[in-house]
Amino acid sequence: MIPAGKKKEDAQLTVMMSLLILILLTFTAGILESASIQTSKNIRRADTERAVESLFAEYQKELLEEYDLFGLDGTYETGNYSEERVLNRITVYGAVAGESQVEAVRFLSDGEGREFADQVCRYMENRFGIDIIKDLIGKEDEAKKQEEEAEKYQQQEEETEKKMDEILASHGTSEGSSEGSGEETENPLGILQKLKRKILTEIVLPKDRTISQKSVEGTPGISGRERREGKGDVPATEETGNEKLYFIAYIPEHFGSYISPGENRPLEYEQEYLIGGNTDDMENLQEVLDKIRNLRMAPNYFYLQTDETKKAEAKVLAGVVSTLMGNPELTDVVCQIILMAWAYGESVMDLRTLTAGGKVPAAKSKETWKLSLSGLLKLGTKEDSGASEAGESGFGYDDYMKMLFLLESKETLRLRMLDLIEWNMKMRLDCPFFQADACITKLRIQSTCRLRRGITYQFSTYYAYQ
């Protein structure tokens, strides 16, 4: 017979063991439930991440092949961007319908084209490294210095032109006769005045070369229309101080110019468009020639001031002109006008060399100076052969284009490159639906998953082209 005390102890032990087993089972069940829920969360997150990654694998093939850029067409070849299309697309790859929404998105044109610039810089750096731009480092300051010198010269040139206009107005037209001379005397100042009014393309470019008349008028690019902007927070795109230098390396690889025009493109002179921003090739080429001429005028004029022989030639002609006009006191003023016109004429000769594929020295010497004073008076007339001498040392057309790129703002270059990309994608690469401001580069999806027994799980999935 078991004593009563022993029975009581056994009962207490049984109860305690039962409670311990219950607690252990509850703890185990809780762990299993937690693990089950976490597994469900991981599965949903993995499904969504895989779906978003698969979505970004549908990048625009033509954009990558032609411009080495990644972008997801958010219009899905409809021309109309919609978040619903993007969300519906990720359900094809396993995401649950109705659980996701776009929390943040960036387009190729966002930040005045910063997203585009980021891809260009990373592409060029990864492909070529820093060596491709090391020769350009510091050139921007040099280009700005030349621009400042050109601007100072232009101010001086404008003042001199006013004086020339006043002289011509008070002493007859360019083809008027001098008083008391008894014969018709052509005024060289009038000839030079007419020369400076001629369109540069008419007196610079070879007469046997056909100039592109292509235009994209009526087809606004990304820079000329209201742009769609992304939304939400994503990791910031850091700007690099070498952005324009990488652009200079990227541009010749992907865009044509007068020297190397692109084939079957909406605009043949694409690099000139980056500088001019006009809708037709002729205007852009004219603007580039004007800018290069301005850069060449100052060093050419400064050289003439150091060449005593040429200054003496100009002074003799100035004396003749002033005497024929009946005012010899104008000799010094007329001499400076002639020297400036001579510098202009030499700049035209430089442009002929550059557009023919030759090179021009940064500073002239007696050996490299091309235009005689008598040749200046024939420039742009029927007696002008239009021929150019091929230069083998100095800077070529491409070098001056690089200088002009350095002088443009990076925002302008970004958006104009996107203009060209859009036009080429639409008109040449058979992608009429393409829009840079609907081309997704970064995306953050917020998902709210409904698990069992009313449990919900919210998380974000971020993906970007790197």
Side-chain angles (χ1 to χ4, degrees):
M1 184 174 179
I2 300 174
K6 180 66 173 173
K7 289 181 177 180
K8 185 177 180 181
E9 288 178 2
D10 290 344
Q12 287 176 343
L13 183 60
T14 301
V15 171
M16 186 177 65
M17 291 300 295
S18 298
L19 289 174
L20 287 173
I21 292 171
L22 179 61
I23 291 171
L24 182 60
L25 289 172
T26 303
F27 181 69
T28 303
I31 291 175
L32 291 173
E33 177 68 7
S34 176
S36 176
I37 292 173
Q38 188 59 48
T39 300
S40 297
K41 289 181 179 180
N42 291 342
I43 290 172
R44 289 297 185 87
R45 180 185 283 275
D47 287 344
T48 304
E49 288 179 350
R50 183 173 61 250
V52 173
E53 188 172 347
S54 298
L55 177 79
F56 271 73
E58 298 180 331
Y59 54 82
Q60 190 67 43
K61 178 172 62 73
E62 293 82 1
L63 185 66
L64 178 63
E65 291 176 349
E66 192 73 16
Y67 296 104
D68 298 296
L69 300 171
F70 282 100
L72 173 67
D73 175 28
T75 75
Y76 278 90
E77 301 190 3
T78 65
N80 296 309
Y81 172 77
S82 169
E83 290 183 0
E84 286 301 315
R85 287 194 179 90
V86 177
L87 295 174
N88 290 338
R89 194 64 185 169
I90 64 174
T91 64
V92 174
Y93 295 110
V96 178
E99 288 188 347
S100 302
Q101 62 180 4
V102 175
E103 184 179 18
V105 64
R106 289 292 181 274
F107 302 110
L108 197 61
S109 59
D110 276 359
E112 298 292 301
R114 187 182 298 178
E115 294 292 323
F116 161 74
D118 179 58
Q119 284 207 41
V120 168
C121 292
R122 282 190 286 107
Y123 163 73
M124 297 303 295
E125 187 173 8
N126 291 336
R127 182 178 175 188
F128 301 105
I130 194 71
D131 288 346
I132 196 169
I133 63 170
K134 66 180 182 181
D135 293 337
L136 294 170
I137 294 174
K139 295 293 185 182
E140 187 168 1
D141 292 337
E142 184 180 327
K144 287 180 179 178
K145 184 178 179 181
Q146 290 196 40
E147 184 184 39
E148 289 171 2
E149 291 177 353
E151 288 174 353
K152 290 178 182 177
Y153 177 82
Q154 278 183 282
Q155 293 176 356
Q156 186 178 354
E157 185 183 19
E158 288 172 4
E159 293 173 3
T160 304
E161 283 184 352
K162 288 180 182 177
K163 292 178 182 177
M164 182 169 68
D165 291 340
E166 291 171 1
I167 292 172
L168 290 172
S170 59
H171 294 87
T173 65
S174 61
E175 294 181 356
S177 59
S178 58
E179 293 181 10
S181 64
E183 60 182 24
E184 293 290 317
T185 306
E186 191 172 41
N187 189 335
L189 297 186
I191 295 175
L192 302 179
Q193 188 182 50
K194 287 182 179 180
L195 173 64
K196 299 192 75 172
R197 289 175 180 171
K198 284 183 176 290
I199 299 173
L200 271 181
T201 50
E202 294 179 358
I203 58 175
V204 167
L205 303 179
K207 294 180 174 59
D208 59 348
R209 176 163 178 172
T210 303
I211 307 302
S212 171
Q213 303 296 323
K214 289 185 177 180
S215 173
V216 289
E217 188 173 358
T219 310
I222 194 73
S223 66
R225 68 169 188 263
E226 187 175 346
R227 296 185 291 277
R228 183 183 293 104
E229 293 286 341
K231 67 176 186 178
D233 294 327
V234 296
T237 299
E238 295 184 6
E239 293 193 53
T240 170
N242 294 327
E243 180 179 313
K244 279 201 280 189
L245 305 187
Y246 281 120
F247 280 171
I248 289 174
Y250 176 84
I251 287 169
E253 277 198 352
H254 299 86
F255 303 104
S257 70
Y258 173 78
I259 295 295
S260 303
E263 294 182 5
N264 302 319
R265 304 196 175 202
L267 291 177
E268 286 188 19
Y269 309 152
E270 295 176 312
Q271 293 184 34
E272 285 76 6
Y273 171 78
L274 298 179
I275 302 301
N278 301 299
T279 57
D280 63 82
D281 278 333
M282 179 65 84
E283 288 185 17
N284 289 321
L285 181 58
Q286 174 68 36
E287 191 158 336
V288 165
L289 293 179
D290 279 334
K291 288 180 180 292
I292 297 177
R293 177 190 66 85
N294 290 338
L295 292 173
R296 290 301 314 157
M297 286 278 283
N300 287 341
Y301 177 71
F302 294 151
Y303 167 72
L304 285 174
Q305 296 294 339
T306 65
D307 190 316
E308 296 300 328
T309 302
K310 287 182 172 54
K311 283 173 68 177
E313 287 184 59
K315 193 154 190 176
V316 169
L317 179 59
V320 173
V321 172
S322 301
T323 300
L324 291 175
M325 289 190 300
N327 195 346
E329 295 178 357
L330 292 174
T331 299
D332 289 338
V333 175
V334 173
C335 180
Q336 288 305 310
I337 294 173
I338 291 173
L339 287 175
M340 281 195 166
W342 203 349
Y344 180 94
E346 182 69 8
S347 299
V348 169
M349 299 301 291
D350 290 342
L351 286 173
R352 288 179 177 178
T353 298
L354 292 171
T355 53
K359 294 183 177 181
V360 173
K364 290 296 181 74
S365 64
K366 289 185 178 180
E367 292 73 25
T368 58
W369 190 270
K370 301 183 184 72
L371 188 64
S372 66
L373 190 54
S374 59
L376 171 65
L377 300 177
K378 297 176 183 178
L379 203 62
T381 68
K382 293 180 180 180
E383 298 178 68
D384 180 12
S385 65
S388 63
E389 297 179 14
E392 297 180 357
S393 62
F395 298 99
Y397 185 87
D398 291 338
D399 296 312
Y400 277 97
M401 289 301 295
K402 290 176 182 178
M403 191 178 300
L404 295 180
F405 293 146
L406 287 172
L407 295 173
E408 282 291 345
S409 73
K410 55 190 175 185
E411 292 80 10
T412 297
L413 289 175
R414 292 171 187 170
L415 293 177
R416 287 179 181 173
M417 277 193 273
L418 285 174
D419 286 341
L420 293 170
I421 290 171
E422 264 200 7
W423 289 327
N424 277 279
M425 289 288 289
K426 289 179 177 180
M427 303 179 198
R428 181 168 64 91
L429 300 173
D430 196 27
C431 300
F433 49 83
F434 182 83
Q435 299 169 18
D437 57 343
C439 195
I440 299 171
T441 58
K442 298 174 181 176
L443 184 67
R444 188 188 297 281
I445 296 290
Q446 186 182 65
S447 303
T448 304
C449 303
R450 295 171 183 83
L451 306 178
R452 59 180 176 275
R453 290 190 291 278
I455 298 174
T456 60
Y457 172 47
Q458 190 175 81
F459 62 92
S460 291
T461 304
Y462 173 71
Y463 196 92
Y465 290 119
Q466 299 294 340

